[in-house]
Each structure stands twice: as structure tokens, then as C-alpha cells.
Amino acid sequence: MRLDKLLSNMGFGSRKEVKQLLKSGAVQVEGTVIKDGKTQVNPVEQTIFLLGEKVVYKEFIYLMMNKPQGVISATEDVQQETVIDLLSEEDRHFAPFPVGRLDKDTEGLLLLTNDGQLSHALLSPKKHVPKTYYAIIEGRVDENDVSAFKEGVLLDDGYKTKPGDLTILRSGETSEIELVITEGKFHQVKRMFAAVGKKVRYLKRIKMGNLSLDESLELGEYRELTEDEVEALKEK
Ligand code: URA
């Protein structure tokens, strides 16, 4: 690929800025200063240095965000803040998008990537990728709800859900639960609880496939996945 395109794609500036960098002699390919941006390079096989620092080429980016409430899981919106707005310019350069959606008032694990194939695999209804949610529910969640979810519940549009694995963490005037589901229907968790006459007060996703939310991330923070985490996700 063209050297100027590669550097620009990697976030080292606009094409114009990269041209300036090249002109100044800041870029070396295999130890030779290259000033012509049109030069074809193979970033996997050739070693590229920019201002003395090795350029580590990557095509895909995989980010885990602890999504806060109040932002939407979209790439752009004229009025509302999106999860993409929370990314650094450097990371936005890779054009990541959220893998599936969390509601505006839902917190927790959101994966962002520009790897369309992985995104598709994780979201495909055929793959049944499990998603785990923690929730606070208004009212007393009991064993009847556990059985109903295990059986599958009828949503407001007549759809019967696949079995959900409901664990009661605490039951009282409000209850705390964990729920594992393998589908991703619109507002699914809220609608499953509505189906048993209960309301979700707080919702947080804590796991998707083999990937658990890194609890050290503050709300709105994110980090790149480790290679092991990416591999584990691909296995699912
Ligand atoms: N289910 C919901 O109701 N909302 C979400 O954001 C995710 C799952």
C-alpha cells in the first residue's frame, strides 16, 4: 500500500500533514529515508520508522468500553453524544463501531471494533453468543421468574424468547439479579422483565461471549483488548 496512506490510516496526520513529515525526512523504510508518499510498502514485512519510532501496523482495532448512561451506541448523531465521541482521535481514526447496542440508560461492557467479520459472528442469531447482565429490579424476583425465563417468556410483540438463565443475587423490595441471554432483541432484558410484570431500574452488561468487563475501567473509559481477549472472542 502507499506509504502516505498507511501513515495517515495509522493516525499520524492528514495526507497533507503526512506529506510534510515525509518531506522533512522523518520516515525511514528498511533504514532508508523515503520522501515520496506514493512509494509502495508492505507494512507487515517492512520495518518503518517515523521520527525514530517504529510504526507498528495494525488493520483492526478492538476496544472494550465501560459505557456510561446518557450516551448512545451509535457512530454518529446530530444531537446526542455517542460512544464514538468518547474515543480519542487516534482511535477514531480506525473507524470503529459498536458491536450491537446498549440502551442509552444501560451501562457496562460495549465492544467497539472495525472488524466487520468478528462483529457479524458475535451478533449472528445463529451463533447464540451469551450475554450476561446485572440488573436491579423493582419488586421481588422469585423462583417463578427463574422458571419462566428458563422456559422463555412472551414479549409484548408475541415473540417467545429463547431460555434465559436467571440468577437471583438478592430478593426484596428491589432485587438484584444476573441474567444470561443468547439473543439481542430490542430492549430484551427490560421486555423480559416486563413480561413477568416487573421493571428494570438499573441495567449493566458484564459479559459478552468470553469477554468480561474490566471492572477497573471507570464509566466512559475504555481500553484495547489484549491479544488473548481477541482470540477468546473469536473462539466463541
Ligand atoms: N436489554 C435491554 O433491555 N437493554 C439493553 O441495553 C441491553 C439488553
mmCIF file of all heavy atoms in Angstrom, residues 167-213:
data_model
loop_
_atom_site.group_PDB
_atom_site.id
_atom_site.type_symbol
_atom_site.label_atom_id
_atom_site.label_comp_id
_atom_site.label_asym_id
_atom_site.label_seq_id
_atom_site.Cartn_x
_atom_site.Cartn_y
_atom_site.Cartn_z
ATOM 1 N N THR A 167 -30.301 -15.697 37.638
ATOM 2 C CA THR A 167 -29.785 -15.977 38.984
ATOM 3 C C THR A 167 -30.195 -14.832 39.897
ATOM 4 O O THR A 167 -29.950 -13.663 39.571
ATOM 5 C CB THR A 167 -28.232 -16.069 38.966
ATOM 6 O OG1 THR A 167 -27.856 -17.032 38.004
ATOM 7 C CG2 THR A 167 -27.680 -16.448 40.327
ATOM 8 N N ILE A 168 -30.818 -15.189 41.031
ATOM 9 C CA ILE A 168 -31.220 -14.148 41.983
ATOM 10 C C ILE A 168 -30.059 -13.917 42.954
ATOM 11 O O ILE A 168 -29.627 -14.839 43.644
ATOM 12 C CB ILE A 168 -32.486 -14.580 42.758
ATOM 13 C CG1 ILE A 168 -33.615 -14.862 41.759
ATOM 14 C CG2 ILE A 168 -32.909 -13.508 43.760
ATOM 15 C CD1 ILE A 168 -34.840 -15.521 42.389
ATOM 16 N N LEU A 169 -29.552 -12.707 42.975
ATOM 17 C CA LEU A 169 -28.449 -12.378 43.890
ATOM 18 C C LEU A 169 -29.004 -11.903 45.232
ATOM 19 O O LEU A 169 -28.443 -12.156 46.284
ATOM 20 C CB LEU A 169 -27.552 -11.285 43.285
ATOM 21 C CG LEU A 169 -26.958 -11.564 41.904
ATOM 22 C CD1 LEU A 169 -26.193 -10.344 41.388
ATOM 23 C CD2 LEU A 169 -26.024 -12.774 41.957
ATOM 24 N N ARG A 170 -30.097 -11.173 45.174
ATOM 25 C CA ARG A 170 -30.751 -10.655 46.386
ATOM 26 C C ARG A 170 -32.200 -10.382 46.028
ATOM 27 O O ARG A 170 -32.475 -9.832 44.954
ATOM 28 C CB ARG A 170 -30.069 -9.352 46.828
ATOM 29 C CG ARG A 170 -30.659 -8.737 48.092
ATOM 30 C CD ARG A 170 -29.992 -7.402 48.429
ATOM 31 N NE ARG A 170 -30.139 -6.413 47.376
ATOM 32 C CZ ARG A 170 -31.225 -5.689 47.161
ATOM 33 N NH1 ARG A 170 -32.300 -5.849 47.926
ATOM 34 N NH2 ARG A 170 -31.288 -4.812 46.188
ATOM 35 N N SER A 171 -33.119 -10.799 46.906
ATOM 36 C CA SER A 171 -34.532 -10.586 46.612
ATOM 37 C C SER A 171 -35.170 -9.793 47.745
ATOM 38 O O SER A 171 -34.979 -10.103 48.912
ATOM 39 C CB SER A 171 -35.226 -11.946 46.449
ATOM 40 O OG SER A 171 -36.545 -11.740 46.050
ATOM 41 N N GLY A 172 -35.915 -8.747 47.400
ATOM 42 C CA GLY A 172 -36.549 -7.913 48.416
ATOM 43 C C GLY A 172 -37.472 -6.924 47.720
ATOM 44 O O GLY A 172 -37.992 -7.231 46.647
ATOM 45 N N GLU A 173 -37.614 -5.742 48.333
ATOM 46 C CA GLU A 173 -38.445 -4.707 47.711
ATOM 47 C C GLU A 173 -37.913 -4.342 46.327
ATOM 48 O O GLU A 173 -38.647 -4.102 45.387
ATOM 49 C CB GLU A 173 -38.424 -3.465 48.594
ATOM 50 C CG GLU A 173 -39.787 -2.881 48.821
ATOM 51 C CD GLU A 173 -39.715 -1.845 49.904
ATOM 52 O OE1 GLU A 173 -39.458 -0.687 49.530
ATOM 53 O OE2 GLU A 173 -39.883 -2.191 51.088
ATOM 54 N N THR A 174 -36.576 -4.293 46.272
ATOM 55 C CA THR A 174 -35.903 -4.321 44.965
ATOM 56 C C THR A 174 -35.035 -5.570 44.983
ATOM 57 O O THR A 174 -34.631 -6.025 46.056
ATOM 58 C CB THR A 174 -35.005 -3.086 44.729
ATOM 59 O OG1 THR A 174 -33.991 -3.066 45.727
ATOM 60 C CG2 THR A 174 -35.795 -1.788 44.736
ATOM 61 N N SER A 175 -34.753 -6.102 43.796
ATOM 62 C CA SER A 175 -33.954 -7.327 43.727
ATOM 63 C C SER A 175 -32.739 -7.094 42.842
ATOM 64 O O SER A 175 -32.769 -6.250 41.949
ATOM 65 C CB SER A 175 -34.778 -8.474 43.139
ATOM 66 O OG SER A 175 -35.977 -8.641 43.884
ATOM 67 N N GLU A 176 -31.710 -7.873 43.117
ATOM 68 C CA GLU A 176 -30.538 -7.841 42.245
ATOM 69 C C GLU A 176 -30.426 -9.198 41.574
ATOM 70 O O GLU A 176 -30.553 -10.239 42.238
ATOM 71 C CB GLU A 176 -29.265 -7.581 43.055
ATOM 72 C CG GLU A 176 -29.153 -6.163 43.569
ATOM 73 C CD GLU A 176 -27.924 -6.013 44.448
ATOM 74 O OE1 GLU A 176 -26.807 -6.083 43.915
ATOM 75 O OE2 GLU A 176 -28.107 -5.853 45.659
ATOM 76 N N ILE A 177 -30.161 -9.154 40.289
ATOM 77 C CA ILE A 177 -30.107 -10.416 39.539
ATOM 78 C C ILE A 177 -28.956 -10.405 38.543
ATOM 79 O O ILE A 177 -28.405 -9.359 38.230
ATOM 80 C CB ILE A 177 -31.419 -10.644 38.738
ATOM 81 C CG1 ILE A 177 -31.665 -9.527 37.691
ATOM 82 C CG2 ILE A 177 -32.615 -10.767 39.660
ATOM 83 C CD1 ILE A 177 -31.168 -9.791 36.327
ATOM 84 N N GLU A 178 -28.652 -11.607 38.045
ATOM 85 C CA GLU A 178 -27.825 -11.735 36.848
ATOM 86 C C GLU A 178 -28.636 -12.549 35.854
ATOM 87 O O GLU A 178 -29.304 -13.522 36.237
ATOM 88 C CB GLU A 178 -26.507 -12.452 37.159
ATOM 89 C CG GLU A 178 -25.391 -11.467 37.429
ATOM 90 C CD GLU A 178 -24.042 -12.121 37.661
ATOM 91 O OE1 GLU A 178 -23.789 -13.205 37.096
ATOM 92 O OE2 GLU A 178 -23.261 -11.530 38.417
ATOM 93 N N LEU A 179 -28.580 -12.139 34.611
ATOM 94 C CA LEU A 179 -29.334 -12.843 33.571
ATOM 95 C C LEU A 179 -28.428 -13.089 32.372
ATOM 96 O O LEU A 179 -27.770 -12.167 31.886
ATOM 97 C CB LEU A 179 -30.545 -11.989 33.143
ATOM 98 C CG LEU A 179 -31.377 -12.532 31.980
ATOM 99 C CD1 LEU A 179 -32.016 -13.876 32.323
ATOM 100 C CD2 LEU A 179 -32.471 -11.531 31.575
ATOM 101 N N VAL A 180 -28.413 -14.351 31.922
ATOM 102 C CA VAL A 180 -27.656 -14.685 30.708
ATOM 103 C C VAL A 180 -28.657 -14.964 29.596
ATOM 104 O O VAL A 180 -29.546 -15.823 29.753
ATOM 105 C CB VAL A 180 -26.763 -15.936 30.924
ATOM 106 C CG1 VAL A 180 -25.917 -16.192 29.684
ATOM 107 C CG2 VAL A 180 -25.886 -15.778 32.152
ATOM 108 N N ILE A 181 -28.518 -14.240 28.502
ATOM 109 C CA ILE A 181 -29.387 -14.490 27.348
ATOM 110 C C ILE A 181 -28.512 -14.694 26.105
ATOM 111 O O ILE A 181 -27.371 -14.236 26.068
ATOM 112 C CB ILE A 181 -30.409 -13.350 27.098
ATOM 113 C CG1 ILE A 181 -29.716 -11.988 26.995
ATOM 114 C CG2 ILE A 181 -31.486 -13.341 28.155
ATOM 115 C CD1 ILE A 181 -30.657 -10.846 26.614
ATOM 116 N N THR A 182 -29.076 -15.376 25.123
ATOM 117 C CA THR A 182 -28.287 -15.664 23.921
ATOM 118 C C THR A 182 -28.849 -14.942 22.701
ATOM 119 O O THR A 182 -28.473 -15.246 21.577
ATOM 120 C CB THR A 182 -28.267 -17.178 23.638
ATOM 121 O OG1 THR A 182 -29.629 -17.623 23.549
ATOM 122 C CG2 THR A 182 -27.551 -17.940 24.724
ATOM 123 N N GLU A 183 -29.749 -14.002 22.955
ATOM 124 C CA GLU A 183 -30.315 -13.235 21.844
ATOM 125 C C GLU A 183 -30.057 -11.750 22.112
ATOM 126 O O GLU A 183 -29.599 -11.380 23.184
ATOM 127 C CB GLU A 183 -31.823 -13.432 21.764
ATOM 128 C CG GLU A 183 -32.243 -14.866 21.641
ATOM 129 C CD GLU A 183 -33.750 -14.992 21.800
ATOM 130 O OE1 GLU A 183 -34.237 -14.900 22.941
ATOM 131 O OE2 GLU A 183 -34.414 -15.147 20.785
ATOM 132 N N GLY A 184 -30.430 -10.933 21.149
ATOM 133 C CA GLY A 184 -30.226 -9.497 21.346
ATOM 134 C C GLY A 184 -31.373 -8.697 20.764
ATOM 135 O O GLY A 184 -31.168 -7.778 19.979
ATOM 136 N N LYS A 185 -32.596 -9.066 21.178
ATOM 137 C CA LYS A 185 -33.765 -8.308 20.705
ATOM 138 C C LYS A 185 -33.756 -6.921 21.345
ATOM 139 O O LYS A 185 -33.218 -6.742 22.445
ATOM 140 C CB LYS A 185 -35.072 -9.026 21.093
ATOM 141 C CG LYS A 185 -35.172 -10.432 20.571
ATOM 142 C CD LYS A 185 -35.688 -10.465 19.164
ATOM 143 C CE LYS A 185 -35.616 -11.878 18.619
ATOM 144 N NZ LYS A 185 -35.230 -11.973 17.232
ATOM 145 N N PHE A 186 -34.401 -6.007 20.665
ATOM 146 C CA PHE A 186 -34.500 -4.627 21.138
ATOM 147 C C PHE A 186 -35.036 -4.594 22.577
ATOM 148 O O PHE A 186 -36.076 -5.204 22.865
ATOM 149 C CB PHE A 186 -35.441 -3.897 20.164
ATOM 150 C CG PHE A 186 -35.579 -2.431 20.412
ATOM 151 C CD1 PHE A 186 -34.480 -1.592 20.361
ATOM 152 C CD2 PHE A 186 -36.824 -1.879 20.680
ATOM 153 C CE1 PHE A 186 -34.619 -0.232 20.568
ATOM 154 C CE2 PHE A 186 -36.972 -0.523 20.890
ATOM 155 C CZ PHE A 186 -35.855 0.297 20.839
ATOM 156 N N HIS A 187 -34.326 -3.925 23.479
ATOM 157 C CA HIS A 187 -34.726 -3.804 24.891
ATOM 158 C C HIS A 187 -35.029 -5.171 25.528
ATOM 159 O O HIS A 187 -35.951 -5.292 26.341
ATOM 160 C CB HIS A 187 -36.014 -2.967 25.036
ATOM 161 C CG HIS A 187 -35.868 -1.531 24.637
ATOM 162 N ND1 HIS A 187 -34.700 -0.829 24.771
ATOM 163 C CD2 HIS A 187 -36.773 -0.657 24.137
ATOM 164 C CE1 HIS A 187 -34.889 0.414 24.341
ATOM 165 N NE2 HIS A 187 -36.120 0.551 23.941
ATOM 166 N N GLN A 188 -34.276 -6.184 25.129
ATOM 167 C CA GLN A 188 -34.694 -7.534 25.520
ATOM 168 C C GLN A 188 -34.822 -7.756 27.030
ATOM 169 O O GLN A 188 -35.823 -8.333 27.480
ATOM 170 C CB GLN A 188 -33.742 -8.595 24.933
ATOM 171 C CG GLN A 188 -34.155 -10.001 25.364
ATOM 172 C CD GLN A 188 -33.833 -11.049 24.357
ATOM 173 O OE1 GLN A 188 -33.448 -10.735 23.238
ATOM 174 N NE2 GLN A 188 -34.001 -12.297 24.736
ATOM 175 N N VAL A 189 -33.836 -7.328 27.789
ATOM 176 C CA VAL A 189 -33.894 -7.618 29.237
ATOM 177 C C VAL A 189 -35.089 -6.890 29.858
ATOM 178 O O VAL A 189 -35.858 -7.470 30.637
ATOM 179 C CB VAL A 189 -32.570 -7.220 29.921
ATOM 180 C CG1 VAL A 189 -32.662 -7.416 31.431
ATOM 181 C CG2 VAL A 189 -31.399 -8.028 29.350
ATOM 182 N N LYS A 190 -35.249 -5.621 29.484
ATOM 183 C CA LYS A 190 -36.368 -4.848 30.054
ATOM 184 C C LYS A 190 -37.708 -5.483 29.677
ATOM 185 O O LYS A 190 -38.622 -5.568 30.501
ATOM 186 C CB LYS A 190 -36.314 -3.402 29.547
ATOM 187 C CG LYS A 190 -35.126 -2.627 30.089
ATOM 188 C CD LYS A 190 -35.002 -1.277 29.412
ATOM 189 C CE LYS A 190 -33.734 -0.565 29.858
ATOM 190 N NZ LYS A 190 -33.374 0.561 29.007
ATOM 191 N N ARG A 191 -37.781 -5.950 28.443
ATOM 192 C CA ARG A 191 -39.058 -6.537 27.993
ATOM 193 C C ARG A 191 -39.289 -7.918 28.602
ATOM 194 O O ARG A 191 -40.436 -8.314 28.828
ATOM 195 C CB ARG A 191 -39.096 -6.593 26.468
ATOM 196 C CG ARG A 191 -39.260 -5.180 25.875
ATOM 197 C CD ARG A 191 -38.917 -5.144 24.417
ATOM 198 N NE ARG A 191 -39.884 -5.800 23.576
ATOM 199 C CZ ARG A 191 -39.574 -6.421 22.424
ATOM 200 N NH1 ARG A 191 -38.320 -6.491 22.014
ATOM 201 N NH2 ARG A 191 -40.515 -6.968 21.702
ATOM 202 N N MET A 192 -38.217 -8.647 28.896
ATOM 203 C CA MET A 192 -38.401 -9.950 29.554
ATOM 204 C C MET A 192 -38.951 -9.741 30.964
ATOM 205 O O MET A 192 -39.838 -10.469 31.408
ATOM 206 C CB MET A 192 -37.074 -10.724 29.599
ATOM 207 C CG MET A 192 -36.697 -11.307 28.239
ATOM 208 S SD MET A 192 -35.114 -12.165 28.255
ATOM 209 C CE MET A 192 -35.570 -13.748 29.003
ATOM 210 N N PHE A 193 -38.420 -8.736 31.647
ATOM 211 C CA PHE A 193 -38.950 -8.480 32.995
ATOM 212 C C PHE A 193 -40.371 -7.914 32.925
ATOM 213 O O PHE A 193 -41.225 -8.248 33.766
ATOM 214 C CB PHE A 193 -37.994 -7.591 33.802
ATOM 215 C CG PHE A 193 -36.903 -8.398 34.442
ATOM 216 C CD1 PHE A 193 -35.647 -8.479 33.849
ATOM 217 C CD2 PHE A 193 -37.150 -9.128 35.596
ATOM 218 C CE1 PHE A 193 -34.658 -9.271 34.405
ATOM 219 C CE2 PHE A 193 -36.166 -9.929 36.164
ATOM 220 C CZ PHE A 193 -34.914 -9.999 35.566
ATOM 221 N N ALA A 194 -40.629 -7.089 31.911
ATOM 222 C CA ALA A 194 -41.998 -6.577 31.748
ATOM 223 C C ALA A 194 -42.963 -7.740 31.552
ATOM 224 O O ALA A 194 -44.108 -7.722 32.040
ATOM 225 C CB ALA A 194 -42.059 -5.612 30.565
ATOM 226 N N ALA A 195 -42.489 -8.797 30.874
ATOM 227 C CA ALA A 195 -43.338 -9.964 30.607
ATOM 228 C C ALA A 195 -43.745 -10.678 31.902
ATOM 229 O O ALA A 195 -44.763 -11.371 31.942
ATOM 230 C CB ALA A 195 -42.617 -10.943 29.675
ATOM 231 N N VAL A 196 -42.929 -10.522 32.955
ATOM 232 C CA VAL A 196 -43.313 -11.125 34.246
ATOM 233 C C VAL A 196 -43.749 -10.032 35.231
ATOM 234 O O VAL A 196 -43.721 -10.224 36.459
ATOM 235 C CB VAL A 196 -42.170 -12.004 34.846
ATOM 236 C CG1 VAL A 196 -41.937 -13.245 33.983
ATOM 237 C CG2 VAL A 196 -40.876 -11.217 35.010
ATOM 238 N N GLY A 197 -44.149 -8.890 34.686
ATOM 239 C CA GLY A 197 -44.754 -7.821 35.488
ATOM 240 C C GLY A 197 -43.764 -7.030 36.335
ATOM 241 O O GLY A 197 -44.137 -6.463 37.366
ATOM 242 N N LYS A 198 -42.515 -6.965 35.913
ATOM 243 C CA LYS A 198 -41.517 -6.251 36.734
ATOM 244 C C LYS A 198 -40.738 -5.236 35.891
ATOM 245 O O LYS A 198 -40.676 -5.334 34.666
ATOM 246 C CB LYS A 198 -40.559 -7.240 37.389
ATOM 247 C CG LYS A 198 -41.295 -8.163 38.352
ATOM 248 C CD LYS A 198 -40.409 -8.982 39.217
ATOM 249 C CE LYS A 198 -41.240 -9.721 40.256
ATOM 250 N NZ LYS A 198 -41.865 -10.940 39.733
ATOM 251 N N LYS A 199 -40.170 -4.273 36.614
ATOM 252 C CA LYS A 199 -39.492 -3.180 35.913
ATOM 253 C C LYS A 199 -37.996 -3.189 36.247
ATOM 254 O O LYS A 199 -37.609 -3.364 37.405
ATOM 255 C CB LYS A 199 -40.118 -1.852 36.372
ATOM 256 C CG LYS A 199 -39.694 -0.665 35.560
ATOM 257 C CD LYS A 199 -40.640 0.526 35.814
ATOM 258 C CE LYS A 199 -40.309 1.689 34.920
ATOM 259 N NZ LYS A 199 -39.197 2.460 35.236
ATOM 260 N N VAL A 200 -37.191 -2.989 35.210
ATOM 261 C CA VAL A 200 -35.737 -2.886 35.410
ATOM 262 C C VAL A 200 -35.409 -1.454 35.820
ATOM 263 O O VAL A 200 -35.742 -0.502 35.128
ATOM 264 C CB VAL A 200 -34.981 -3.237 34.099
ATOM 265 C CG1 VAL A 200 -33.488 -2.967 34.255
ATOM 266 C CG2 VAL A 200 -35.223 -4.692 33.708
ATOM 267 N N ARG A 201 -34.761 -1.317 36.970
ATOM 268 C CA ARG A 201 -34.392 0.028 37.439
ATOM 269 C C ARG A 201 -32.982 0.404 36.974
ATOM 270 O O ARG A 201 -32.691 1.555 36.707
ATOM 271 C CB ARG A 201 -34.458 0.069 38.969
ATOM 272 C CG ARG A 201 -34.106 1.422 39.528
ATOM 273 C CD ARG A 201 -34.211 1.461 41.018
ATOM 274 N NE ARG A 201 -35.582 1.456 41.484
ATOM 275 C CZ ARG A 201 -35.919 1.558 42.764
ATOM 276 N NH1 ARG A 201 -34.981 1.649 43.686
ATOM 277 N NH2 ARG A 201 -37.184 1.558 43.122
ATOM 278 N N TYR A 202 -32.107 -0.596 36.896
ATOM 279 C CA TYR A 202 -30.702 -0.339 36.528
ATOM 280 C C TYR A 202 -30.202 -1.544 35.752
ATOM 281 O O TYR A 202 -30.452 -2.692 36.145
ATOM 282 C CB TYR A 202 -29.864 -0.149 37.800
ATOM 283 C CG TYR A 202 -28.377 -0.125 37.551
ATOM 284 C CD1 TYR A 202 -27.740 1.049 37.151
ATOM 285 C CD2 TYR A 202 -27.603 -1.281 37.692
ATOM 286 C CE1 TYR A 202 -26.371 1.067 36.910
ATOM 287 C CE2 TYR A 202 -26.236 -1.264 37.452
ATOM 288 C CZ TYR A 202 -25.628 -0.091 37.066
ATOM 289 O OH TYR A 202 -24.282 -0.074 36.825
ATOM 290 N N LEU A 203 -29.493 -1.297 34.671
ATOM 291 C CA LEU A 203 -29.025 -2.411 33.840
ATOM 292 C C LEU A 203 -27.578 -2.197 33.416
ATOM 293 O O LEU A 203 -27.201 -1.096 32.981
ATOM 294 C CB LEU A 203 -29.923 -2.534 32.600
ATOM 295 C CG LEU A 203 -29.700 -3.737 31.683
ATOM 296 C CD1 LEU A 203 -29.881 -5.060 32.434
ATOM 297 C CD2 LEU A 203 -30.666 -3.684 30.497
ATOM 298 N N LYS A 204 -26.812 -3.273 33.552
ATOM 299 C CA LYS A 204 -25.382 -3.204 33.195
ATOM 300 C C LYS A 204 -24.986 -4.524 32.545
ATOM 301 O O LYS A 204 -25.273 -5.596 33.097
ATOM 302 C CB LYS A 204 -24.575 -2.993 34.486
ATOM 303 C CG LYS A 204 -23.081 -3.031 34.318
ATOM 304 C CD LYS A 204 -22.423 -2.850 35.692
ATOM 305 C CE LYS A 204 -20.921 -2.882 35.592
ATOM 306 N NZ LYS A 204 -20.302 -2.707 36.916
ATOM 307 N N ARG A 205 -24.335 -4.449 31.395
ATOM 308 C CA ARG A 205 -23.829 -5.686 30.794
ATOM 309 C C ARG A 205 -22.444 -5.956 31.362
ATOM 310 O O ARG A 205 -21.605 -5.052 31.402
ATOM 311 C CB ARG A 205 -23.760 -5.577 29.275
ATOM 312 C CG ARG A 205 -23.288 -6.896 28.652
ATOM 313 C CD ARG A 205 -23.677 -7.050 27.206
ATOM 314 N NE ARG A 205 -23.065 -6.051 26.365
ATOM 315 C CZ ARG A 205 -23.475 -5.791 25.139
ATOM 316 N NH1 ARG A 205 -24.511 -6.423 24.627
ATOM 317 N NH2 ARG A 205 -22.884 -4.871 24.416
ATOM 318 N N ILE A 206 -22.232 -7.210 31.779
ATOM 319 C CA ILE A 206 -20.945 -7.530 32.399
ATOM 320 C C ILE A 206 -20.134 -8.552 31.592
ATOM 321 O O ILE A 206 -18.950 -8.711 31.825
ATOM 322 C CB ILE A 206 -21.113 -8.009 33.862
ATOM 323 C CG1 ILE A 206 -22.120 -9.157 33.965
ATOM 324 C CG2 ILE A 206 -21.559 -6.859 34.748
ATOM 325 C CD1 ILE A 206 -22.256 -9.706 35.386
ATOM 326 N N LYS A 207 -20.783 -9.213 30.622
ATOM 327 C CA LYS A 207 -20.038 -10.204 29.854
ATOM 328 C C LYS A 207 -20.662 -10.384 28.475
ATOM 329 O O LYS A 207 -21.886 -10.322 28.339
ATOM 330 C CB LYS A 207 -20.045 -11.541 30.613
ATOM 331 C CG LYS A 207 -18.976 -12.481 30.196
ATOM 332 C CD LYS A 207 -18.785 -13.633 31.183
ATOM 333 C CE LYS A 207 -17.748 -14.569 30.596
ATOM 334 N NZ LYS A 207 -17.776 -15.890 31.150
ATOM 335 N N MET A 208 -19.803 -10.632 27.495
ATOM 336 C CA MET A 208 -20.287 -10.938 26.146
ATOM 337 C C MET A 208 -19.389 -12.028 25.583
ATOM 338 O O MET A 208 -18.170 -11.825 25.483
ATOM 339 C CB MET A 208 -20.196 -9.676 25.281
ATOM 340 C CG MET A 208 -20.754 -9.838 23.897
ATOM 341 S SD MET A 208 -20.810 -8.213 23.114
ATOM 342 C CE MET A 208 -21.629 -8.632 21.601
ATOM 343 N N GLY A 209 -19.963 -13.176 25.247
ATOM 344 C CA GLY A 209 -19.123 -14.306 24.841
ATOM 345 C C GLY A 209 -18.127 -14.588 25.947
ATOM 346 O O GLY A 209 -18.491 -14.664 27.123
ATOM 347 N N ASN A 210 -16.859 -14.689 25.566
ATOM 348 C CA ASN A 210 -15.813 -14.969 26.566
ATOM 349 C C ASN A 210 -15.224 -13.712 27.184
ATOM 350 O O ASN A 210 -14.251 -13.792 27.923
ATOM 351 C CB ASN A 210 -14.658 -15.720 25.886
ATOM 352 C CG ASN A 210 -15.067 -17.099 25.460
ATOM 353 O OD1 ASN A 210 -15.821 -17.757 26.155
ATOM 354 N ND2 ASN A 210 -14.585 -17.534 24.309
ATOM 355 N N LEU A 211 -15.778 -12.573 26.848
ATOM 356 C CA LEU A 211 -15.168 -11.309 27.274
ATOM 357 C C LEU A 211 -15.924 -10.704 28.461
ATOM 358 O O LEU A 211 -17.113 -10.402 28.356
ATOM 359 C CB LEU A 211 -15.188 -10.329 26.093
ATOM 360 C CG LEU A 211 -14.494 -8.990 26.320
ATOM 361 C CD1 LEU A 211 -12.986 -9.192 26.471
ATOM 362 C CD2 LEU A 211 -14.773 -8.047 25.158
ATOM 363 N N SER A 212 -15.191 -10.530 29.584
ATOM 364 C CA SER A 212 -15.804 -9.920 30.766
ATOM 365 C C SER A 212 -15.408 -8.460 30.855
ATOM 366 O O SER A 212 -14.279 -8.086 30.478
ATOM 367 C CB SER A 212 -15.324 -10.615 32.040
ATOM 368 O OG SER A 212 -15.783 -11.934 32.056
ATOM 369 N N LEU A 213 -16.302 -7.653 31.390
ATOM 370 C CA LEU A 213 -15.989 -6.232 31.588
ATOM 371 C C LEU A 213 -14.824 -6.100 32.564
ATOM 372 O O LEU A 213 -14.825 -6.715 33.626
ATOM 373 C CB LEU A 213 -17.221 -5.503 32.152
ATOM 374 C CG LEU A 213 -17.013 -4.028 32.507
ATOM 375 C CD1 LEU A 213 -16.739 -3.192 31.253
ATOM 376 C CD2 LEU A 213 -18.228 -3.458 33.242
#
